[in-house]
Amino acid sequence: MVAPSRVPKPKAINCPNCGGNIELRGFAHTRSAVCVQCCTIIDPTTPELQILQQFDERLRVRPLIPLGTRGKYRGIPYEVIGFQVRCINSDGVEYSWHEYLLFNPFKGFRYLTQYDGHWNDVLTVHGLPSFTTLGGRKAVNYNNVNYKHFQNAVARTAFVMGEFPWAVRVGETNTVDDYVSAPYMMSSEQTEGEVNWSFGTYILGAEIEQAFQLKTKLPAPRGVYANQPSPFQDKVRASWRTFMLLCLGWAALMAFFTFSASNRVIFDQNFHFAQAVPGEHSFVTQPFEVPGKGNVEIELTTDLKNNWAYFSLALLREDGAQGFDFGREVSYYSGRDSDGSWSEGKAKDSVILPRVPAGRYYLRIEPEMDAQASATAASGMTMNYEVTVRRDVPTTWLFWLALPLLLIPPIVTSIRAMAFEGRRWSESDYAPGSSSSSGDDD
Amino acid sequence: MSGPSSNCPNCGAPIKFAWSSAVQAACPYCQAIIIRRDVNLEAVGTVADLPPDASAIQLMTEGFFDNKHFTVIGRIRYEWEQGNWNEWHLLMNDGTSGWLSDAQADYAVSFAVTSPITFPTPLEMKKGQVFQLQGAQFMVTHLTKVRYVGFEGELPFTTSDRSEFTTADLRTMDARFATIDYSETPPLLFMGRYVDIEALKLTGLREFEGW
């Protein structure tokens, strides 16, 4: 049998300093309560309401969520019972942020922090993070996620309001280390050899406005916060995925054209050439039929070795209505030296003429070899070569033309994502030197 | 489960123990502290009023831990330099006893275990020291000087000694914890893990005005 347990109720006490009314909402958890009227911190657990500290009223800051506001945050009812301003000094500049203490008698305490319009939902951590390094930088691992060290600072309590489950003091300092993996942040706070870890999640002010039914709009965030999720993160991944898909689609299309190309040999003949033979070197081939539509490839296969040849070529329509002039140099050299065997060039070459109308064509060929060399060579400069003409051969140049165009969106997005990360880290201990002027361009 | 019943040695009221192994209990009628030695009950004083607290748990709160049903049958209130907390004594449905600790609505469940190793003395114990227990690395995170400030219900040991003793809290990476309690020699070892209050499916919770 159990005596019915007393039902705790919120109570009001009178400030032992000014007599003002202090409302207590945290039941017996509260170990410090602040009189807003005279800025006195009281220990309400002592019968005489011992004064812990009095601080300068000029430090007063107005909270964006009024104390005593009840809301439903992430499905759990919470009441805002405490508010404190904490600040750090970095290179002579003071930065301050706000912390709201939320309370639910069953769920316990939770914090909301606000800096320059950026909010974090913070809970204490029960597990023990392990220290590691990431890219040569200090990091922690918690629940298999790595968090990069962002900054180390000494945080000072600058102003307090409401009530707290610990003995709070204005001016008190502790060492804070932040580690980030957007949208999460692991923070350690050290006081007198005790290390306490907390886990923060970046949240939007709009969620807080909604949760606490705020009448005034919360200030818009400025700049990039340590664990603010990058708006480009997903876009980068998506744009590369799109790029891959387009490439695959494009390659499939190319493969289709390749397989559907008729690639038919319409002329093939072997020739012999000797530079030393006097007279005109140019000649014309037998006419041949170029059927259907598409391109025409002319391939020259020679038996050149450590030599070169130049071919002046023309594909001419028998009726004289159309002619294509072009030239090709074929050269092939090989040998051995101290580095082993080497070779340069190729004994064959080809040229593709796009869109050649159907009809009867012939080739005019004028080979040319080194005249100087031929004069000294015993047998003169000679070569055997084969001319092959194909109709409608597969081409891949369109693919390579499209590739750089397709690359533009993912590269631009990646650059913007990197610029965002640059702005994030410019606020950290790892900002690149003095020239951390990343500005507002993105 | 229904335990043995007896009469309060102080006021004679019938006392029914919820747990057969209870060693210390408070008489719900006269607030006498009753210590059980073998079959005899002995009144050793009266229970001091517990200081006001804001725990959501109370005697007879029921819940589940690892699918085992439990009933809260006792509590010890501890005090340390910066506050106090409750260890609620759980009677599990398999007859064993467990503890639900509530420190400012931060909850953890633990069980007494036989220590596989010999721990250093409280003076030799250092923060940051690591012990291998149940296949995990437990690191000492807190060394606290505590004392009993009150109790209610039934307990598996006596708390008549009000002198200060040391406890060492240890944690793992995955939110398991252990407490080494130096109130006895050799020290007691409790092992368990932090829990979310929802996961315990508690019923018979305390009420808070306005909530």
Side-chain angles (χ1 to χ4, degrees):
Chain A
M1 184 185 150
V2 179
S5 135
R6 291 152 292 183
V7 174
K9 40 185 94 168
K11 62 174 183 178
I13 54 171
N14 289 99
C15 173
N17 184 50
C18 71
N21 202 47
I22 305 171
E23 246 185 290
L24 295 180
R25 305 174 173 97
F27 306 112
H29 289 304
T30 301
R31 290 185 41 84
S32 317
V34 184
C35 172
V36 235
Q37 288 88 349
C38 67
C39 288
T40 302
I41 305 174
I42 295 147
D43 181 353
T45 64
T46 54
E48 74 281 12
L49 303 177
Q50 192 195 336
I51 292 175
L52 298 173
Q53 190 187 34
Q54 274 185 283
F55 57 89
D56 195 338
E57 298 185 18
R58 285 171 300 182
L59 298 170
R60 222 183 273 270
V61 178
R62 234 179 119 85
L64 294 166
I65 316 171
L67 289 186
T69 304
R70 250 322 150 95
K72 201 166 194 171
Y73 179 72
R74 309 239 153 145
I76 305 159
Y78 278 109
E79 189 163 297
V80 180
I81 68 163
F83 170 72
Q84 60 175 341
V85 179
R86 298 174 76 197
C87 58
I88 59 166
N89 197 305
S90 171
D91 300 327
V93 185
E94 192 128 285
Y95 299 94
S96 68
W97 71 93
H98 297 175
E99 288 187 5
Y100 295 83
L101 178 63
L102 309 186
F103 173 69
N104 170 301
F106 305 97
K107 290 289 288 182
F109 297 92
R110 190 173 197 132
Y111 306 84
L112 293 175
T113 65
Q114 187 269 137
Y115 172 80
D116 249 0
H118 299 278
W119 292 83
N120 261 281
D121 166 27
V122 180
L123 287 164
T124 51
V125 158
H126 294 126
L128 214 53
S130 63
F131 287 93
T132 175
T133 52
L134 222 90
R137 196 177 285 183
K138 213 164 46 149
V140 290
N141 179 285
Y142 186 65
N143 281 344
N144 299 319
V145 176
N146 285 316
Y147 297 78
K148 266 194 205 170
H149 187 246
F150 194 81
Q151 72 171 1
N152 167 277
V154 174
R156 187 172 54 84
T157 308
F159 172 72
V160 290
M161 222 173 128
E163 53 195 290
F164 300 89
W166 68 88
V168 75
R169 296 281 195 290
V170 167
E172 199 170 51
T173 59
N174 48 31
T175 306
V176 182
D177 278 282
D178 290 334
Y179 299 82
V180 299
S181 170
Y184 307 115
M185 166 136 73
M186 289 291 296
S187 302
S188 78
E189 292 207 15
Q190 286 186 58
T191 6
E192 292 157 29
E194 209 115 284
V195 182
N196 289 302
W197 285 93
S198 62
F199 174 75
T201 308
Y202 189 91
I203 52 166
L204 296 175
E207 195 183 343
I208 290 162
E209 284 170 13
Q210 223 240 320
F212 293 95
Q213 301 287 308
L214 300 181
K215 287 179 189 77
T216 47
K217 256 193 110 56
L218 292 171
R222 284 188 299 161
V224 174
Y225 193 65
N227 65 335
Q228 184 179 353
S230 168
F232 303 105
Q233 183 90 40
D234 292 341
K235 283 187 197 159
V236 167
R237 224 171 290 134
S239 66
W240 282 106
R241 205 179 301 125
T242 309
F243 168 75
M244 293 304 284
L245 286 174
L246 283 173
C247 275
L248 281 174
W250 198 237
L253 206 64
M254 287 298 125
F256 171 76
F257 282 129
T258 303
F259 288 120
S260 63
S262 58
N263 200 19
R264 181 143 61 101
V265 176
I266 51 173
F267 177 85
D268 184 49
Q269 200 173 337
N270 290 300
F271 299 97
H272 177 78
F273 173 71
Q275 179 69 35
V277 174
E280 177 62 49
H281 288 151
S282 79
F283 66 96
V284 296
T285 64
Q286 290 295 314
F288 48 90
E289 195 68 40
V290 177
K293 350 181 256 186
N295 56 17
V296 163
E297 183 193 48
I298 293 115
E299 189 181 61
L300 300 159
T301 311
T302 72
D303 63 354
L304 288 169
K305 203 153 196 303
N306 290 322
N307 212 339
W308 65 266
Y310 186 82
F311 293 89
S312 293
L313 293 154
L315 180 68
L316 301 161
R317 209 154 116 162
E318 213 177 26
D319 60 9
Q322 206 115 23
F324 303 88
D325 272 300
F326 49 96
R328 269 290 175 277
E329 189 182 285
V330 182
S331 68
Y332 180 71
Y333 295 90
S334 69
R336 280 189 80 83
D337 62 14
S338 55
D339 292 334
S341 57
W342 58 270
S343 72
E344 199 184 315
K346 260 171 122 176
K348 72 195 267 184
D349 195 10
S350 74
V351 62
I352 291 174
L353 306 171
R355 280 198 295 278
V356 175
R360 276 186 73 79
Y361 289 81
Y362 60 90
L363 278 168
R364 185 169 57 77
I365 304 170
E366 183 181 2
E368 187 187 337
M369 294 182 80
D370 196 337
Q372 293 300 115
S374 77
T376 53
S379 57
M381 281 289 172
T382 62
M383 68 167 163
N384 292 305
Y385 63 96
E386 182 184 2
V387 177
T388 314
V389 181
R390 291 188 188 88
R391 178 59 157 166
D392 191 18
V393 297
T395 54
T396 53
W397 63 273
L398 255 175
F399 178 75
W400 302 110
L401 185 78
L403 205 61
L405 294 171
L406 294 178
L407 268 170
I408 292 170
I411 285 174
V412 166
T413 316
S414 299
I415 289 169
R416 293 181 71 177
M418 276 158 69
F420 185 89
E421 291 308 308
R423 289 170 67 197
R424 178 202 307 286
W425 290 95
S426 71
E427 297 293 321
S428 76
D429 288 354
Y430 306 92
S434 53
S435 58
S436 61
S437 56
S438 46
D440 276 326
D441 52 300
D442 59 352
Chain B
M1 101 186 258
S2 92
S5 79
S6 257
N7 290 85
C8 171
N10 189 45
C11 69
I15 293 176
K16 200 164 161 60
F17 286 92
W19 188 43
S20 54
S21 310
V23 165
Q24 176 176 310
C27 171
Y29 301 97
C30 68
Q31 299 298 304
I33 299 170
I34 300 158
I35 304 231
R36 184 148 75 182
R37 305 193 203 284
D38 299 327
V39 289
N40 300 320
L41 300 182
E42 189 186 324
V44 294
T46 50
V47 179
D49 267 353
L50 280 167
D53 88 312
S55 180
I57 320 283
Q58 58 186 348
L59 291 182
M60 303 317 283
T61 295
E62 292 179 42
F64 292 87
F65 180 74
D66 283 347
N67 293 319
K68 271 196 268 178
H69 179 265
F70 64 76
T71 309
V72 176
I73 58 165
R75 118 155 106 165
I76 305 174
R77 187 74 175 276
Y78 287 90
E79 189 179 70
W80 63 302
E81 190 198 349
Q82 290 177 43
N84 44 53
W85 83 94
N86 295 303
E87 291 288 348
W88 294 96
H89 182 207
L90 311 180
L91 172 60
M92 311 301 294
N93 64 355
D94 59 4
T96 58
S97 123
W99 297 92
L100 168 57
S101 119
D102 171 8
Q104 288 171 343
D106 225 4
Y107 305 95
V109 173
S110 65
F111 299 91
V113 295
T114 313
S115 175
I117 52 173
T118 309
F119 290 106
T121 63
L123 290 170
E124 290 167 329
M125 202 66 157
K126 297 266 175 303
K127 268 183 228 171
Q129 248 177 295
V130 175
F131 296 93
Q132 186 80 22
L133 295 166
Q134 293 182 354
Q137 306 264 333
F138 283 78
M139 190 197 271
V140 179
T141 55
H142 297 82
L143 287 168
T144 321
K145 290 246 195 301
V146 305
R147 59 186 195 91
Y148 301 127
V149 282
F151 91 100
E152 61 177 328
E154 296 173 31
L155 298 180
F157 48 73
T158 60
T159 62
S160 45
D161 191 352
R162 290 286 187 272
S163 53
E164 221 173 44
F165 60 92
T166 302
T167 63
D169 290 324
L170 299 88
R171 289 183 186 199
T172 65
M173 285 175 69
D174 58 354
R176 281 191 277 168
F177 84 99
T179 299
I180 304 164
D181 176 332
Y182 285 102
S183 65
E184 288 184 24
T185 323
L188 306 170
L189 174 64
F190 297 91
M191 294 186 71
R193 62 167 198 267
Y194 287 91
V195 289
D196 193 84
I197 189 171
E198 259 92 62
L200 297 174
K201 301 191 197 81
L202 298 176
T203 53
L205 284 169
R206 203 174 175 192
E207 278 173 37
F208 292 87
E209 196 179 286
W211 288 88

